[in-house]
Amino acid sequence: SKPCLVRGFFWGGLGRQPRVLPSGRRAASPQGATTRMPGASAAMAPSKATEELLDRLSKAENGDYFTLVKLHGADVPADLQLYFCKNKFSVVQVRVKTLVTGVVHEYATGACDIKPGAGVYELKCRNCAHELQVKVQPALGLLSLLKPPPYSSVQEVAGVLRRLGALAALYHVLLAFQQDPTREESPLVASAPGATRNVGRLAEDLEVLELFVDKCPVFVRVGAASELGEPTKPRLRLTDCARPRTRGMVLKALLEVKMLLVIAVEHFQEDETQFTGQQLQAFHNFLIEIHEDCLAGGATAQYQPVLESWESLKALVCGPSISAPETEAVDGVKDLTVKEAWKVLQDCAANLKNTVLPNLQQRGQPISDLVPPSTDFTSAAGGARFKTEYCKIWKRAIDTYLFDLVHSSRYTKGPTQGLAMIRSQWSRPDRSLQLTCPSPDLDKAIAKCNAELEPFLADKVAKRQQGVSVNFNPRSSTGLTNPGENLCAANALVQLLFSVEPFREAVLQAPEAPAAASTSLSRDAGSTMMDEAQQLVVGLRRLFVDMARPERAVTSAREVAAALYGKELGQQQDCDELMHRLSLLLQDGLSALPGKPFEGLQKSFQRFFVGETCEARLKADESGGFVPVVQSNEESKAKQFLSIPIQEGNSTAMQALEDFTSWSATGGSDVAWTQERLRSFPPFLCFASRQVSDLEWEDFLNLTRFASSPSSSTQRNIFERSRTQQLQSELKEALQHLLPACSSLKKASLFGSKPSAGHAAHLSTMLQEVEVQLEPIAGRIAELDGLVGDCFDDPTLKSFLDGVPEVGAIKTPMFDRIERIRELELLVFGNEEPSSRTSSSEASVVVGDLSESTEAWRKLVEDGAVPQAASSEILARLKQRRVARQANWYDIHAIVVYQGLGQFGHYVTFIRQPDGAFLCFDDEQVTELPRADDVRDEISRRGGQGFPASVRMLAYRRRSSDEPLEVDLHHHTSNGKAADGSNSAAGVASGGVAAFKRPIGGVPEEIDAAIKRQRT
């Protein structure tokens, strides 16, 4: 790709020739203990032979010069001076054995002895005791870990940002090996003992791991599987860790990864316009993270500039070569050279042009009136103009985003240091301007601008108490950090809970501090649960208060996770398990508190998330049918559920619900069949899966068949469908076992086993018989599905039209062919159903309004075949019917996705917004997706990144209201008779179950006992 200039360096391009300073100027003395020879001159010319030697040391194998910078930081060994080429990733490593300054050095080793690009050289000065070891190390090739710019799409930038997270994690792994010479392994699982920071990000990026191991052969990735075939935790192993060559390669790899981060950060900091709003937020969060350790102090603080680095290396190898620079003091402050002053002014101008102005433009601020200051000081007013234009831009930046930034969580140093930074930047060019272009006008400009700052900041403080800060997340949402402690499952659950507005309000209204526990309680399991429950509520309230602030871009759920994880904090958890743990603490743990201070929160959780079931039972009668089993009050007691299990074989949420409520054969005599009957649905209905990897979740669920009281005939059809579906499942499972057995017997017969051939033929016959049964069974299931329908009341057309004005004037043969209301709905509205909540008030119809009706219906009204008054009444009744039907509808609200395998993976959650869009919460990263199909595409994309992505939790929200959906299980009339006229006592006692006769041609007796499904 085209080389990209990054602060004077070409990323992916060729190095440039270092500047050779004119003679007569002295380089800065190297740091450390030094010895000066008596009588040494302060201005000497370096040896030509030594300069040629240095020239060869600073050349690559192809003759290009290294662009060397001297590295700083805690990761640089104290006994080494490291000069790193940012273009080629080569290193010139200098170990000072004896340092003597003030002497021109000459060595027995000459330029002809140097092999460009690599080698170790011992340099002993002929004139003094000065002695160096210089090692030139070629690049390992880790520059290829990151794609160089330019980036042509938002997706490419997003990929680079993800890669930076993996590289930062790799840095911490290498630093651990560098700091501990005896360390042989480092785990690649965050929960493993000895794991380094954010190592989970590295484990997720297989491409980085594979390329790194390929470029650094002293490392080996192990742990995919043991010799016994059992999985073990993956880790990175260092072979022969004490060997000098190994230690050198570890240090070289550490430096290359670090400088790769430095170069990438500098590139993005110089041009933040290539980010979207969410990406900019992610990049700033990443900066906060890496500025804590690997790039402490910022990217530029990791190295000296090229010129100073070259002078330092030249002073080490050649000795003194330039005289002391002229300096000038300004108001008694530390001396500043003219050269340094010019550099400060150029940096100030470049920072405004490349960073501040683009940030203002990105935030929609007009910048046409802002002129970047110029360093053209040919006129006397040049310095004053520079100061005025400089402060004008900074004032706009402080007002627009900078003041809010230093008061936000993104700025980890706090507001005090943030304001100190603002004041420092405001006056940064003053000393340099006074040194380079002093004038009375400049003094007045400095005094005027500096006098404006403090009142301006005081005004911002006053306004902040009434205003809000800047949050770049979509819809001012809040991300949750995950600092390498496997908090992603807790983060996903918290985002789901926070999105449930009524539950969120209940948490926010909970007491700020829990009531003190009784001192008489012993520290038993109950009191421990009570303490953990209090910790959870307090943490949840604090967290929700923080997340409710629109200016809060990122916060931490660690306090909540600590209560949910218990002693397992740091280990990967399942989101559904955490939901059940939360339920246990809220419902049981808080119940023991004196005075029940959190009773409102307990009831809120139970109301919005907990449903109820009861068990219906059947037994065989003498005629071969089945009759309800009358249960005692204790036996028929309601049971609570928190989520519907999605089992293996379920491809949709509706199938999981049908499986959960299907009839199951017990194989017993007293109770032959059982069924979980739903008594109430919570307004937020959750589904949980650990087995289904490819779930086709629905945008909405119609739960009418589960919420209504079906007729006896419909109950019989539902029962028969359950039996037939289970028969189909068992036959399919039998096929899965018979097919490989038949194949194995056929292979055995090839080796002369005659009995095997006979068995294979017998199995083949059985296979054919089973396959023949499957087709009619599938047809029967489809037939029963049609008979059951959605169980919504479908009266006759005649009864529906009773009381409609002018109904007798309807003149269309279409009405003669319509028997049921569903057919009329199709004629009037078609197959379209509203995709959002519809209130009863919205069911009213304006007379003459046909906007929602089909073209066929409008034509009937316009032609006079259907009178206007009749049309309006029919539309009103059908809309009311639609609202009634939608009382049993649930819309998708949240999708929790797990990306990974087993215990090694990552959770993200997608939350639906009121307008139908979705927010994707990936820890601290928040992005917006406009439609449900975009969510499906995103899940598919994540599943294509080396680890499968599967849906682990679904949450559906009741469309019509946030009240629980109660189910009337007693389908009987006021006179005690069932709808079909039979006595309802048995039905009432058994939860509304009618007696079922065995259907003609039904399932044989011997199959009944074999049909028994296992449910989680």
Side-chain angles (χ1 to χ4, degrees):
S1 61
K2 181 180 178 181
C4 180
L5 185 63
V6 182
R7 298 199 180 185
F9 302 100
F10 287 94
W11 186 358
L14 299 177
R16 65 177 183 176
Q17 193 169 355
R19 295 175 57 185
V20 179
L21 300 182
S23 59
R25 297 187 63 82
R26 176 176 61 83
S29 300
Q31 296 179 352
T34 62
T35 304
R36 178 175 292 279
M37 296 294 291
S41 172
M44 304 179 184
S47 165
K48 183 177 181 181
T50 307
E51 282 193 326
E52 291 176 353
L53 171 69
L54 178 60
D55 188 71
R56 292 279 286 183
L57 287 172
S58 59
K59 274 187 178 180
E61 189 175 0
N62 62 358
D64 293 331
Y65 282 104
F66 296 142
T67 304
L68 299 172
V69 292
K70 185 178 180 181
L71 300 185
H72 297 305
D75 43 19
V76 177
D79 60 337
L80 294 179
Q81 295 193 35
L82 300 175
Y83 298 85
F84 192 93
C85 177
K86 289 179 68 177
N87 297 337
K88 296 183 175 296
F89 275 39
S90 298
V91 171
V92 177
Q93 174 182 303
V94 181
R95 187 185 304 274
V96 181
K97 297 182 176 181
T98 305
L99 178 63
V100 179
T101 62
V103 176
V104 174
H105 303 306
E106 294 180 320
Y107 307 99
T109 303
C112 59
D113 300 319
I114 304 298
K115 178 184 177 182
V120 180
Y121 308 97
E122 300 290 340
L123 303 182
K124 295 183 179 180
C125 180
R126 293 174 174 176
N127 303 327
C128 61
H130 187 72
E131 184 176 356
L132 309 172
Q133 182 192 69
V134 181
K135 180 187 294 185
V136 182
Q137 295 176 298
L140 295 176
L142 300 187
L143 185 60
S144 57
L145 289 176
L146 196 63
K147 181 185 182 299
Y151 305 120
S152 58
S153 66
V154 174
Q155 290 74 21
E156 278 194 333
V157 174
V160 172
L161 288 178
R162 287 192 296 270
R163 179 57 55 86
L164 289 180
L167 290 177
L170 178 57
Y171 169 86
H172 289 293
V173 172
L174 292 171
L175 183 63
F177 281 114
Q178 170 65 18
Q179 293 176 340
D180 183 4
T182 64
R183 188 183 185 102
E184 296 181 347
E185 290 184 346
S186 185
L188 295 177
V189 181
S191 59
T196 54
R197 183 176 184 182
N198 295 330
V199 72
R201 300 178 186 172
L202 176 60
E204 292 174 1
D205 199 328
L206 296 180
E207 184 180 354
V208 166
L209 274 174
E210 291 173 359
L211 184 57
F212 172 73
V213 171
D214 179 62
K215 298 296 183 181
C216 299
V218 297
F219 287 97
V220 180
R221 185 160 61 100
V222 296
S226 68
E227 295 178 356
L228 299 176
E230 299 177 354
T232 59
K233 291 186 177 180
R235 56 201 184 278
L236 200 63
R237 176 177 295 167
L238 181 63
T239 57
D240 201 0
C241 62
R243 184 183 176 191
R245 178 180 177 275
T246 301
R247 305 309 309 166
M249 187 168 287
V250 170
L251 176 60
K252 185 64 171 59
L254 176 68
L255 298 179
E256 290 198 16
V257 172
K258 175 176 180 175
M259 292 308 294
L260 197 54
L261 289 170
V262 167
I263 294 173
V265 167
E266 288 180 346
H267 166 71
F268 285 126
Q269 282 182 322
E270 288 198 349
D271 182 16
E272 292 187 347
T273 59
Q274 56 195 306
F275 291 125
T276 63
Q278 293 83 4
Q279 290 174 343
L280 182 62
Q281 178 79 60
F283 178 63
H284 286 169
N285 292 338
F286 177 71
L287 290 182
I288 293 172
E289 175 186 313
I290 62 175
H291 284 176
E292 295 176 357
D293 37 53
C294 59
L295 299 189
T300 55
Q302 309 309 309
Y303 62 89
Q304 285 184 352
V306 176
L307 189 59
E308 286 80 354
S309 299
W310 175 251
E311 292 174 346
S312 173
L313 179 60
K314 188 174 182 181
L316 271 179
V317 177
C318 301
S321 58
I322 57 176
S323 58
E326 296 180 359
T327 63
E328 184 172 335
V330 180
D331 297 334
V333 187
K334 182 181 178 181
D335 290 351
L336 183 71
T337 67
V338 175
K339 171 184 163 185
E340 291 170 342
W342 274 104
K343 186 177 185 305
V344 169
L345 294 176
Q346 290 169 350
D347 287 347
C348 287
N351 184 41
L352 292 180
K353 181 179 179 181
N354 299 328
T355 303
V356 179
L357 287 175
N359 278 336
L360 288 172
Q361 192 172 24
Q362 188 178 34
R363 289 163 175 80
Q365 288 292 314
I367 61 172
S368 57
D369 60 323
L370 302 178
V371 181
S374 170
T375 54
D376 181 11
F377 300 143
T378 54
S379 67
R385 187 166 55 249
F386 184 102
K387 175 65 175 177
T388 302
E389 294 168 346
Y390 176 87
C391 289
K392 183 178 181 181
I393 296 175
W394 270 105
K395 186 175 183 179
R396 183 78 57 83
I398 295 169
D399 190 40
T400 301
Y401 70 93
L402 194 56
F403 185 86
D404 290 326
L405 175 64
V406 301
H407 284 82
S408 70
S409 61
R410 292 170 50 197
Y411 194 80
T412 57
K413 296 181 180 180
T416 302
Q417 293 192 38
L419 292 175
M421 179 273 294
I422 289 176
R423 294 185 176 97
S424 174
Q425 288 291 344
W426 187 272
S427 61
R428 184 184 179 192
D430 293 358
R431 290 171 48 220
S432 299
L433 289 170
Q434 290 171 331
L435 181 59
T436 55
C437 53
S439 71
D441 290 341
L442 172 63
D443 295 337
K444 293 179 182 178
I446 290 176
K448 179 182 178 182
C449 292
N450 291 349
E452 295 176 354
L453 179 61
E454 292 305 323
F456 176 63
L457 291 179
D459 182 63
K460 290 292 293 181
V461 171
K463 289 182 178 179
R464 178 175 172 78
Q465 297 175 356
Q466 304 174 356
V468 297
S469 302
V470 178
N471 181 352
F472 301 112
N473 288 337
R475 305 177 188 244
S476 298
S477 54
T478 303
L480 299 173
T481 59
N482 183 10
E485 293 183 289
N486 282 323
L487 303 184
C488 56
N491 290 346
L493 178 60
V494 165
Q495 294 289 5
L496 191 160
L497 296 173
F498 185 78
S499 70
V500 179
E501 302 93 338
F503 177 71
R504 179 173 70 218
E505 291 303 317
V507 172
L508 294 175
Q509 292 172 10
E512 293 189 13
S518 173
T519 55
S520 63
L521 288 175
S522 62
R523 299 296 295 177
D524 57 8
S527 62
T528 301
M529 180 184 293
M530 183 182 65
D531 295 338
E532 292 174 343
Q534 293 181 82
Q535 177 189 352
L536 171 65
V537 174
V538 173
L540 203 59
R541 186 184 185 280
R542 290 173 182 167
L543 178 59
F544 278 14
V545 168
D546 212 19
M547 295 174 68
R549 295 168 56 192
E551 73 274 12
R552 178 66 73 188
V554 180
T555 187
S556 174
R558 191 181 189 281
E559 186 177 4
V560 174
L564 293 176
Y565 287 28
K567 297 180 180 180
E568 297 180 346
L569 184 64
Q571 300 182 23
Q572 184 63 277
Q573 301 289 332
D574 181 82
C575 197
D576 180 55
E577 287 181 352
L578 292 182
M579 184 70 164
H580 281 78
R581 165 77 170 164
L582 178 99
S583 175
L584 179 67
L585 292 177
L586 291 183
Q587 298 194 85
D588 295 345
L590 296 180
S591 298
L593 284 174
K596 300 186 181 299
F598 300 114
E599 186 176 13
L601 179 59
Q602 290 177 282
K603 291 181 177 179
S604 176
F605 180 83
Q606 185 165 0
R607 173 185 174 188
F608 295 118
F609 295 103
V610 179
E612 288 187 347
T613 67
C614 63
E615 188 179 79
R617 301 175 182 178
L618 294 176
K619 66 178 180 179
D621 62 7
E622 297 178 355
S623 63
F626 298 97
V627 295
V629 177
V630 179
Q631 303 176 54
S632 65
N633 291 335
E634 183 64 28
E635 290 175 327
S636 61
K637 187 177 180 180
K639 296 176 288 185
Q640 294 183 342
F641 71 92
L642 193 59
S643 58
I644 304 295
I646 302 176
Q647 304 179 76
E648 189 175 1
N650 300 146
S651 59
T652 65
M654 185 61 79
Q655 287 184 6
L657 193 55
E658 289 177 347
D659 205 15
F660 182 71
T661 58
S662 65
W663 287 96
S664 298
T666 65
S669 56
D670 293 337
V671 178
W673 292 84
T674 62
Q675 180 198 30
E676 289 293 337
R677 297 289 315 267
L678 288 158
R679 298 185 59 166
S680 69
F681 291 90
F684 291 85
L685 179 62
C686 295
F687 294 78
S689 167
R690 296 187 192 175
Q691 304 176 31
V692 182
S693 60
D694 189 15
L695 182 69
E696 295 294 332
W697 48 272
E698 302 94 321
D699 290 351
F700 79 96
L701 301 177
N702 181 359
L703 303 185
T704 303
R705 70 170 63 172
F706 305 98
S708 62
S709 297
S711 64
S712 296
S713 60
T714 301
Q715 290 187 49
R716 283 193 292 269
N717 289 331
I718 293 173
F719 175 69
E720 184 182 349
R721 184 183 59 181
S722 293
R723 289 161 52 95
T724 311
Q725 286 176 333
Q726 292 177 52
L727 173 61
Q728 181 188 53
S729 176
E730 296 299 330
L731 290 177
K732 287 183 176 180
E733 185 174 349
L735 281 178
Q736 293 178 354
H737 294 288
L738 289 174
L739 283 170
C742 184
S743 176
S744 297
L745 287 173
K746 287 180 179 179
K747 291 180 180 179
S749 66
L750 297 177
F751 297 97
S753 175
K754 292 183 180 181
S756 296
H759 295 324
H762 180 63
L763 282 181
S764 296
T765 303
M766 292 180 63
L767 277 172
Q768 294 174 4
E769 292 176 353
V770 172
E771 290 172 345
V772 167
Q773 292 184 59
L774 285 175
E775 185 174 351
I777 288 176
R780 179 57 177 162
I781 291 174
E783 179 185 356
L784 291 169
D785 280 335
L787 292 173
V788 172
D790 65 359
C791 295
F792 190 72
D793 184 35
D794 190 16
T796 62
L797 179 64
K798 181 179 179 180
S799 62
F800 179 78
L801 296 179
D802 186 27
V804 173
E806 302 184 36
V807 67
I810 297 177
K811 303 174 183 178
T812 172
M814 290 185 181
F815 268 64
D816 298 334
R817 298 192 296 268
I818 295 177
E819 297 180 359
R820 314 299 295 189
I821 300 306
R822 180 56 182 157
E823 300 173 52
L824 180 60
E825 285 181 323
L826 294 175
L827 172 62
V828 176
F829 293 128
N831 288 316
E832 294 297 324
E833 293 284 4
S835 58
S836 60
R837 295 188 170 194
T838 304
S839 64
S840 57
S841 62
E842 292 174 327
S844 60
V845 177
V846 178
V847 175
D849 181 16
L850 300 173
S851 59
E852 294 187 38
S853 61
T854 62
E855 183 179 351
W857 182 260
R858 289 197 297 269
K859 191 173 188 312
L860 290 174
V861 176
E862 292 168 359
D863 293 345
V866 177
Q868 183 67 58
S871 173
S872 297
E873 180 62 23
I874 290 172
L875 283 172
R877 292 187 180 188
L878 289 178
K879 278 199 169 186
Q880 291 173 354
R881 175 181 167 84
R882 173 184 284 180
V883 171
R885 183 167 63 250
Q886 289 187 15
N888 303 327
W889 285 15
Y890 280 66
D891 294 305
I892 187 67
H893 177 72
I895 307 103
V896 178
V897 175
Y898 183 72
Q899 183 180 2
L901 294 169
Q903 294 297 312
F904 313 119
H906 178 65
Y907 280 93
V908 298
T909 187
F910 300 85
I911 306 292
R912 185 175 181 174
Q913 305 304 300
D915 61 357
F918 287 80
L919 292 184
C920 173
F921 293 92
D922 185 353
D923 289 335
E924 65 269 17
Q925 310 296 329
V926 186
T927 55
E928 183 168 343
L929 301 169
R931 298 175 299 112
D933 286 342
D934 297 308
V935 175
R936 294 183 175 91
D937 292 341
E938 175 65 14
I939 296 174
S940 177
R941 184 191 67 78
R942 288 175 177 268
Q945 296 179 348
F947 289 98
S950 58
V951 175
R952 289 300 179 92
M953 278 189 69
L954 294 171
Y956 285 87
R957 183 174 190 171
R958 191 180 180 192
R959 178 176 293 189
S960 60
S961 73
D962 284 334
E963 294 295 327
L965 175 59
E966 302 292 342
V967 180
D968 181 13
L969 298 178
H970 306 146
H971 186 65
H972 59 90
T973 61
S974 58
N975 61 5
K977 297 293 183 181
D980 57 0
S982 61
N983 193 301
S984 62
V988 172
S990 60
V993 183
F996 300 148
K997 295 295 183 180
R998 182 185 302 280
I1000 298 176
V1003 183
E1005 292 282 353
E1006 60 270 15
I1007 298 295
D1008 282 344
I1011 306 177
K1012 185 176 181 182
R1013 305 293 302 277
Q1014 298 296 324
R1015 289 206 292 271
T1016 58

